[in-house]
Amino acid sequence: MITAGIDIGSTMTKAVILDTDQNAVLASSIVETGAEHRTLALFILEDTAKKAGLSCGQVAFIVGTGYGRLNIPFADKQITEITCHAKGVCHLFPQARTIIEVGGQDSKAIKLTEEGTVGDFVMNNKCAAGTGRFLQCVSETLEVSLSEMNELALRAGDAMPVSSLCAIFAQQEIISALSRGTPVEVVLAGMYGGFARKILTMANSLRIEREVVLTGGTCKHAALQAAFRRELGFDVLIPEEPLLTGALGAALLAGKYGGRLSREELEALQLRRSFTSVEIS
Amino acid sequence: MSFVIGLDIGAVFVKAVLLTEDGRTVCWREKSGKNYGETAERVRVRLLEVAGESTGDCRGVAVTGCGAGCLSFPGQKFNEMVCLARAVSETAGSCAVLDLGGQSCRTAALDEKGRLSAVAFSEKCASGSGNVLEKAANVLHVPFEELAILSEGANTPVEFTVSCAVFMESEIITAIANGKRPQDIAAGVHMAVAQKICAMLSKAHQEALPVVASGGAAADAGVIRALEGLLGRSVTVMNAPQFTIARGAALSALDQVHST
């Protein structure tokens, strides 16, 4: 069966098309989330299907996830990103027990059971500290791109302790440090450390257990990965594409739910699903 | 004529107050920028120009604020709260002081002798500060000074669900996209900031005292109006509130001159 998972995040939208019989990802796409979720959802599905050499109509079951999951009019089921991330990560790393997900505007920690289901989770979407927005604020303050920030921090031999948790206060602390003549690499290395600590403080309420997997777009920063390793005192696992675990999990779950249906029921679903009736509200 | 200078190097503005021997006050402020030391020097030079005074007559420089350590010329460091108390006690008696800065908010109780107690800082979160107001003014395309006028025309203030200064900006943008009136958005922002400040005030157990507000954000009448509504009593705003701490620093420098 061909399934699709679409994950509409606050910053990025991700899609995965899966062949559940071969247990193989046929194609995936990542695009920026704009203001118009509905047209975007259709666009990314069409685009990903095309990459897989398919048409939208050949996809048997579609699961939507992420904060914009209710805006995917053609999805057959909506599942929270917590469940989808857990599913996707356990597929890639069966030994995983803790997921740390740092997105564009939120961060989560998910504790996994031995069976690979969600045991417990914590989430922050009320404060920019510990989310991708924090790094964006720093990047704007320093007028240094996110990728350059990452490289500078990796090059630092030393790290300045950054105590501010609040994104606004950290900006001030960084400017003060630069005004005093602290090299920018040293400031940035310290900033990544403080950022990782903030998230780990939240994650620790679940008692972090190995193996730990990092996901989410913000975790693509090698400097942040290094900071997590340093703060945890052990190695962490990172998917080849940390942005895609939610969409992958959604596609896998689509296989689970779609697999319960008969051929007739799946055909009926496809007839009911209309890809052209997407309205721009 | 001999004079003293008080400098308040804040995260958003560098404020300076010059006090002459015969009681004249001259103020100057500039955006702090990225190099506090350089900005402070520029502000000092400009302040002297505006006042028509020369460096040779300077009897003392007092410096305070988060960037006090970055001063490139001689100056004596003072604690911000000490400066705040010094300036407020000049005009007010026993009161609750509320300093609404560009990024932080501070509250304290001040007795009739100008002594401080129950000092509280918003050190972990910038949500109850001028930063939110500045962001709101930017997104609504009005000067900071006009935010209060805008919110006066509100019918139903927008209720904001987050308080984080960074996420608030996104919420304001969403509210605009959803067709909310700028007046209602401005009033909603004022209410959200006032609620944060109120929570801090009540933590410091200062319910019984008259409230005196200082700091750049206190210049926004909209916040003061919302605050008065929540507190159920009037709030007195210092004259040129953004210069209160710098004035306190200058007064402290003057005290030093008089004591030697």
XYZ file of all heavy atoms in Angstrom, chain A residues 105 125-128 131 133 137 141 143 166-169 172 175-176 179-180, chain B residues 11 33-36 66 70 103 122-126 131 135 164 166-167 170:
288
model
N 9.217 26.750 16.587
C 8.564 27.574 17.612
C 8.146 26.781 18.840
O 7.332 27.247 19.634
C 7.340 28.276 17.019
C 7.739 29.363 16.037
C 6.604 30.272 15.674
O 5.696 30.502 16.448
N 6.660 30.812 14.479
N 5.580 25.548 24.270
C 5.264 26.394 23.119
C 4.800 27.777 23.589
O 4.203 28.524 22.862
C 4.229 25.734 22.205
C 2.942 25.397 22.924
O 2.789 25.712 24.109
N 2.021 24.760 22.236
N 5.123 28.064 24.855
C 4.686 29.343 25.443
C 5.819 30.360 25.536
O 5.574 31.536 25.791
C 4.141 29.093 26.861
C 2.871 28.254 26.874
C 1.635 29.126 26.761
C 0.372 28.320 26.710
N -0.207 28.308 25.357
N 7.037 29.904 25.381
C 8.197 30.779 25.588
C 9.210 30.471 24.501
O 9.466 29.296 24.199
C 8.755 30.492 26.984
S 10.398 31.127 27.289
N 9.772 31.500 23.882
C 10.670 31.294 22.737
C 11.994 30.649 23.137
O 12.684 30.086 22.299
C 10.924 32.625 22.042
N 13.520 27.160 21.734
C 12.930 26.848 20.426
C 13.794 27.500 19.338
O 14.648 28.335 19.632
C 11.493 27.387 20.289
O 11.555 28.797 20.045
C 10.657 27.120 21.527
N 13.118 29.760 17.439
C 12.974 31.220 17.424
C 14.085 31.910 18.215
O 14.515 33.012 17.896
C 11.613 31.626 18.002
C 10.500 31.691 16.996
C 10.739 32.665 15.860
N 10.460 34.039 16.237
C 9.247 34.567 16.252
N 8.210 33.864 15.896
N 9.085 35.817 16.606
N 16.466 34.845 16.872
C 16.647 36.134 17.555
C 18.133 36.456 17.672
O 18.555 37.582 17.416
C 16.047 36.101 18.965
S 14.267 36.104 18.989
N 20.241 39.548 16.035
C 21.031 40.455 16.872
C 22.459 40.574 16.349
O 23.012 41.663 16.260
C 21.091 39.926 18.318
O 19.782 39.723 18.768
C 21.797 40.900 19.242
N 23.515 39.723 13.384
C 23.568 39.860 11.931
C 24.497 38.805 11.331
O 25.343 39.085 10.490
C 23.978 41.280 11.529
C 22.866 42.286 11.807
C 23.323 43.728 11.715
O 24.406 43.967 11.185
O 22.581 44.596 12.189
N 15.590 33.736 28.747
C 14.701 34.493 27.865
C 15.463 34.954 26.623
O 16.585 35.438 26.718
C 14.156 35.687 28.636
S 13.309 36.894 27.621
N 14.834 34.797 25.446
C 15.476 35.174 24.185
C 15.855 36.655 24.165
O 16.906 37.033 23.659
C 14.546 34.850 23.011
N 14.995 37.487 24.732
C 15.256 38.928 24.756
C 16.451 39.239 25.656
O 17.335 40.005 25.291
C 14.004 39.687 25.263
C 12.757 39.315 24.466
C 14.236 41.184 25.282
C 12.690 39.859 23.072
N 16.462 38.630 26.835
C 17.563 38.877 27.768
C 18.879 38.315 27.241
O 19.944 38.883 27.487
C 17.261 38.271 29.144
C 16.205 39.030 29.900
C 15.614 38.492 31.032
C 15.792 40.290 29.486
C 14.635 39.183 31.737
C 14.813 40.985 30.177
C 14.234 40.434 31.301
N 20.553 40.708 25.000
C 21.231 41.749 25.776
C 22.543 41.223 26.341
O 23.576 41.892 26.285
C 20.307 42.196 26.908
C 20.969 43.108 27.904
C 20.136 43.230 29.174
O 18.933 43.085 29.152
N 20.793 43.489 30.281
N 25.132 41.032 23.576
C 25.658 42.347 23.198
C 26.614 42.867 24.273
O 27.677 43.392 23.964
C 24.512 43.356 22.932
C 23.745 42.922 21.684
C 25.060 44.757 22.739
C 22.500 43.730 21.406
N 26.231 42.686 25.543
C 27.114 43.118 26.641
C 28.459 42.419 26.535
O 29.504 43.049 26.686
C 26.501 42.779 28.001
O 25.363 43.546 28.220
N 30.449 43.777 23.720
C 30.922 45.117 24.081
C 32.156 45.034 24.979
O 33.015 45.894 24.952
C 29.832 45.892 24.821
O 28.877 46.376 23.920
N 32.221 43.980 25.792
C 33.376 43.802 26.690
C 34.553 43.176 25.956
O 35.615 43.024 26.528
C 33.001 42.912 27.877
C 32.186 43.593 28.958
C 32.171 42.752 30.231
N 31.755 41.374 29.982
C 30.484 40.959 30.074
N 29.537 41.811 30.386
N 30.175 39.700 29.845
N 19.836 48.326 28.150
C 19.897 47.393 27.024
C 19.365 48.041 25.750
O 19.767 47.676 24.650
C 19.093 46.147 27.345
N 22.642 50.454 20.842
C 23.403 49.815 19.768
C 24.161 48.611 20.263
O 23.795 48.009 21.268
N 25.231 48.277 19.548
C 25.940 47.032 19.869
C 27.206 47.268 20.661
O 27.815 46.324 21.153
C 26.250 46.279 18.590
C 24.991 45.640 18.071
C 25.223 44.734 16.941
C 23.867 44.287 16.429
N 23.919 43.887 15.066
N 27.661 48.516 20.733
C 28.865 48.783 21.512
C 28.531 49.836 22.570
O 28.535 51.028 22.309
C 29.984 49.257 20.580
C 31.313 49.314 21.293
O 31.390 49.701 22.465
N 32.364 48.917 20.605
N 28.210 49.351 23.760
C 27.758 50.245 24.841
C 28.795 51.326 25.161
O 28.444 52.482 25.410
C 27.475 49.426 26.112
C 26.328 48.454 26.007
C 26.227 47.383 26.903
C 25.330 48.590 25.049
C 25.171 46.478 26.832
C 24.282 47.694 24.962
C 24.201 46.649 25.854
O 23.167 45.754 25.784
N 22.910 47.966 32.880
C 23.529 46.663 32.546
C 24.845 46.810 31.818
O 25.667 45.903 31.826
C 22.544 45.800 31.757
S 22.219 46.433 30.108
N 31.079 48.793 30.717
C 31.669 49.029 29.394
C 32.129 50.469 29.203
O 32.477 50.867 28.100
C 30.656 48.681 28.297
S 30.016 47.014 28.414
N 13.560 46.164 28.673
C 13.547 44.702 28.639
C 13.129 44.078 29.953
O 12.753 42.920 29.998
C 14.936 44.172 28.270
C 15.329 44.574 26.869
C 16.512 43.817 26.361
O 17.257 43.244 27.127
N 16.690 43.827 25.069
N 12.271 41.157 37.039
C 11.761 40.180 36.073
C 12.955 39.659 35.302
O 13.184 40.010 34.174
C 10.783 40.840 35.118
O 11.459 41.830 34.374
N 13.752 38.817 35.951
C 15.029 38.442 35.334
C 14.910 37.274 34.366
O 15.807 37.008 33.600
C 16.052 38.115 36.425
C 15.559 37.036 37.365
C 16.410 36.901 38.610
O 17.539 37.399 38.596
O 15.938 36.280 39.582
N 13.795 36.555 34.421
C 13.698 35.352 33.597
C 12.876 35.543 32.333
O 12.898 34.702 31.447
C 13.092 34.217 34.419
C 14.081 33.671 35.427
C 13.691 32.311 35.914
C 14.758 31.748 36.819
N 14.210 31.223 38.057
N 12.112 36.618 32.263
C 11.162 36.746 31.167
C 10.944 38.228 30.861
O 10.762 39.036 31.761
C 9.855 36.090 31.598
S 8.527 36.278 30.428
N 10.968 38.563 29.564
C 10.828 39.968 29.163
C 9.383 40.344 28.851
O 9.126 41.396 28.282
C 11.718 40.243 27.955
N 9.833 46.034 25.816
C 10.148 45.300 24.594
C 8.889 44.896 23.834
O 8.818 45.001 22.614
C 10.970 44.059 24.969
C 11.434 43.289 23.764
O 10.687 42.502 23.216
N 12.650 43.543 23.332
N 7.787 46.199 20.135
C 7.495 45.258 19.051
C 6.094 45.529 18.491
O 5.901 45.536 17.284
C 7.554 43.818 19.564
C 8.970 43.333 19.796
C 9.021 41.823 19.683
C 10.436 41.315 19.531
N 11.113 41.113 20.792
N 5.099 35.473 26.147
C 6.489 35.599 25.690
C 6.602 36.755 24.694
O 5.816 36.849 23.750
C 6.941 34.303 25.037
S 8.524 34.427 24.189
N 8.660 37.354 22.386
C 8.963 36.926 21.016
C 7.709 36.372 20.337
O 7.376 36.753 19.217
C 10.090 35.869 21.014
C 10.355 35.372 19.605
C 11.363 36.438 21.626
N 6.989 35.502 21.046
C 5.791 34.904 20.459
C 4.648 35.909 20.357
O 3.781 35.796 19.500
C 5.352 33.680 21.260
C 6.234 32.479 21.031
C 6.260 31.429 21.923
C 7.040 32.404 19.910
C 7.072 30.321 21.704
C 7.855 31.305 19.678
C 7.865 30.257 20.586
N 4.435 37.418 16.999
C 3.748 36.584 16.007
C 2.241 36.649 16.208
O 1.479 36.653 15.246
C 4.188 35.120 16.113
O 5.546 35.029 16.415
